[in-house]
Amino acid sequence: MERRSFFKNLSAIGGSTLLGGCVSSGNKKSKGVKAVEKKDGNADPKMRGPFPILSTPYEESGDVDYKTLAKEAKFVSDSGCNMIWPLSNDAIDLLSDDEKFKGMEAIAQVLQNSKSTIAFGCSGKNTEQMVKYVKHIEKIAQKYKKTNIALVSRPSDDTKTQDDVKKYFLELQKHTERPTIIQTVNLSCKIKSINVDLLIDLAKQNPKVFGYVKEETGNAIECNARMAKEVAAKPIIHAVYSAWGGWQWLYQSRRIGSEGLVTERAVYADLLAYIWERMENGDADGTLSDAFAKLLLAFNFTYYSKGGTLSHLRGAHLYVGQKRGIFKNRISREYALQKGKQVIPPKPIISNFEMTQQQMDEIDTCLECLSPYFKI
């Protein structure tokens, strides 16, 4: 099940109520759970752990707010996480190339001398666009040599076959030597996902660039089977990251061996870092399950909006960002609708996410439950 279908189905069975409310009796410790031993994949140490995707902030006018974008990146770094930008529809589809390049530079500048890695999105509608992005990222990297920069990409929109995927990524490697996270799914192309054998083959051909996989293919059974195969291919495959917004992260880490997370949850970066630390130290203090439960509680805020792909990254989560001093507002760019389908409008459509006082009060109450795990 692809991530967006997963959320839709969860909502249909009452996900908004299943995860709602706070009935915690404190940070009660659980019994230690023996996790699967994670075989060393010889991954670049800067490429392990959570990679939350930054939400693109906007001014009241609808222009990109680069100052707040840099502030968000600093927040994520101070929380102890790596990060990704631009990725997800609100950053890929609704931004111009110039806006992406300006945002990348703002992030690279603020992360100089940081231990965190920024993986810049270089997904293209076609190979030519991808190459344009990679070349510009390399220019930024030369300017900000004290910033840890990696890449993340997915099959191009015009992909029709697995051979197209191979050609696309072999072209990417001609222009960079940076670790590149491969996202296995692109809903806009003809193939369902990238074959696991192809991911392994790419990693064999260029182990410096490839071998980092964001796995989000199909339903939970299919995805977990693919992930197990990828983990078993270590050290050819270096690291496999959970996806789907983190819904299966705990299971996939403890039972399969994923080594991080790519998720649209930047405003919870310190909670993600806390969970990752417990995954790494064998849950020494027995708080991992409780911390993860609190993360699921935060995911419930998604359903305060009308739905749609942007609500998982934005919507009420922007309010959380405001509460945490990251964002100035809840302004977003939106898609237009044509025959019930989302399309990119010729001019930006600007909206402000409205909330009732009751909704804000409920989020405030839930954030009190999360606060023991917040670092900042």
Side-chain angles (χ1 to χ4, degrees):
M1 184 186 299
E2 194 273 330
R3 179 181 61 219
R4 296 173 183 84
S5 298
F6 180 87
F7 284 124
K8 181 179 180 180
N9 289 350
L10 181 67
S11 181
I13 62 172
S16 59
T17 56
L18 286 172
L19 300 177
C22 180
V23 292
S24 173
S25 58
N27 299 326
K28 185 178 180 180
K29 295 183 179 180
S30 60
K31 294 182 179 179
V33 177
K34 184 174 177 59
V36 63
E37 184 176 351
K38 295 182 181 179
K39 181 181 176 182
D40 184 8
N42 197 28
D44 184 323
K46 298 187 292 293
M47 293 296 293
R48 300 181 72 249
F51 279 81
I53 302 165
L54 303 181
S55 300
T56 306
Y58 297 99
E59 303 282 4
E60 297 290 337
S61 63
D63 293 337
V64 177
D65 183 351
Y66 300 106
K67 184 177 180 180
T68 297
L69 180 63
K71 182 179 181 180
E72 182 184 4
K74 183 69 164 51
F75 167 82
V76 172
S77 176
D78 290 346
S79 296
C81 283
N82 300 314
M83 68 202 76
I84 289 173
W85 192 88
L87 201 70
S88 295
N89 289 349
D90 78 306
I92 289 181
D93 297 345
L94 301 179
L95 297 177
S96 70
D97 287 352
D98 285 345
E99 288 174 325
K100 293 175 187 177
F101 296 154
K102 288 179 182 178
M104 289 177 183
E105 181 150 2
I107 294 167
Q109 183 176 26
V110 78
L111 292 183
Q112 290 181 104
N113 299 308
S114 168
K115 294 181 180 180
S116 297
T117 295
I118 169 65
F120 284 130
C122 57
S123 299
K125 294 181 179 179
N126 50 48
T127 301
E128 181 181 11
Q129 188 179 50
M130 174 271 291
V131 170
K132 176 183 178 181
Y133 292 157
V134 175
K135 287 182 175 180
H136 195 87
I137 291 167
E138 288 300 325
K139 289 180 181 179
I140 292 174
Q142 289 303 309
K143 186 175 180 180
Y144 300 99
K145 294 183 178 180
K146 294 183 179 181
T147 301
N148 300 320
I149 295 177
L151 305 178
V152 56
S153 190
R154 65 187 186 187
S156 57
D157 293 356
D158 62 355
T159 295
K160 296 179 181 178
T161 67
Q162 296 293 325
D163 191 53
D164 289 342
V165 175
K166 185 174 183 178
K167 291 178 180 177
Y168 176 86
F169 284 106
L170 290 180
E171 183 62 32
L172 181 150
Q173 71 166 356
K174 293 179 182 178
H175 307 280
T176 188
E177 294 185 347
R178 300 181 186 282
T180 300
I181 300 172
I182 295 180
Q183 181 175 320
T184 58
V185 173
N186 176 6
L187 291 179
S188 297
C189 73
K190 296 293 185 182
I191 65 168
K192 178 182 178 182
S193 182
I194 305 175
N195 288 344
V196 173
D197 290 341
L198 176 54
L199 294 168
I200 294 172
D201 184 52
L202 287 169
K204 285 180 179 178
Q205 292 189 48
N206 193 331
K208 188 172 183 178
V209 173
F210 302 124
Y212 302 92
V213 180
K214 175 193 175 187
E215 183 54 74
E216 57 179 350
T217 301
N219 56 36
I221 294 174
E222 180 182 5
C223 180
N224 291 339
R226 283 173 54 97
M227 184 176 287
K229 185 176 180 180
E230 291 153 3
V231 170
K234 288 183 175 182
I236 297 171
I237 296 294
H238 304 315
V240 184
Y241 308 94
S242 298
W244 284 348
W247 288 97
Q248 288 248 312
W249 185 25
L250 185 60
Y251 174 82
Q252 290 172 338
S253 175
R254 285 205 291 217
R255 308 301 178 182
I256 303 177
S258 69
E259 292 193 71
L261 173 71
V262 175
T263 178
E264 302 169 330
R265 312 292 180 190
V267 294
Y268 311 105
D270 39 4
L271 176 55
L272 298 175
Y274 183 97
I275 291 170
W276 171 246
E277 289 168 2
R278 270 64 195 170
M279 289 176 172
E280 287 288 273
N281 69 17
D283 192 17
D285 59 5
T287 60
L288 175 56
S289 294
D290 184 75
F292 188 74
K294 298 301 193 299
L295 184 65
L296 296 185
L297 178 65
F299 290 177
N300 183 48
F301 304 156
T302 294
Y303 299 98
Y304 286 29
S305 65
K306 295 179 181 179
T309 57
L310 295 189
S311 63
H312 309 308
L313 187 64
R314 310 189 70 81
H317 300 294
L318 295 177
Y319 172 75
V320 176
Q322 283 184 293
K323 290 287 294 185
R324 306 205 67 191
I326 306 169
F327 302 135
K328 297 186 300 185
N329 56 44
R330 301 193 293 276
I331 300 294
S332 292
R333 290 181 185 176
E334 301 286 354
Y335 291 98
L337 288 177
Q338 287 185 1
K339 298 180 180 180
K341 293 185 178 181
Q342 292 180 327
V343 297
I344 301 172
K347 294 182 179 180
I349 299 173
I350 311 304
S351 67
N352 179 43
F353 185 72
E354 301 291 344
M355 301 181 68
T356 66
Q357 187 60 50
Q358 192 174 41
Q359 288 175 324
M360 290 186 284
D361 290 345
E362 177 61 14
I363 289 178
D364 291 348
T365 299
C366 291
L367 287 178
E368 291 180 10
C369 300
L370 275 65
S371 62
Y373 297 115
F374 286 160
K375 179 179 179 180
I376 299 175

